[in-house]
Amino acid sequence: MKDAYERIRLLDERYAGRFSRHGGGSLMRPGLEQLEDQLRHLTHYTVELRDIVEELFLALATRPGGPPPPPSQDV
């Protein structure tokens, strides 16, 4: 968990300034080249994030379990 958190934090730091965090406000629309750059960055971010989450799920799924569940008391 700690490793996944650190990787997500570093990923966010790398891409923090590359995405607009607010909708409008600017009178100028981004050009095609800017949109392509943002799409490329978003694609890389999404792929890396997916890999981190997948590794986290696999680590949790293969983690040694705790104590066995109590036996059921069917009467």
Side-chain angles (χ1 to χ4, degrees), residues 14-75:
R14 278 200 336 251
Y15 287 98
R18 298 182 185 190
F19 304 119
S20 175
R21 296 203 187 259
H22 52 281
S26 177
L27 297 176
M28 295 184 61
R29 298 184 79 162
L32 183 58
E33 194 170 307
Q34 290 173 317
L35 290 173
E36 287 176 349
D37 281 345
Q38 286 182 346
L39 182 59
R40 190 177 314 105
H41 293 308
L42 183 59
T43 302
H44 287 287
Y45 182 88
T46 303
V47 169
E48 286 187 57
L49 185 59
R50 184 206 62 202
D51 290 344
I52 293 169
V53 170
E54 183 179 7
E55 289 175 21
L56 181 60
F57 283 155
L58 289 173
L60 291 173
T62 58
R63 196 165 93 179
S72 66
Q73 298 180 354
D74 294 334
V75 177

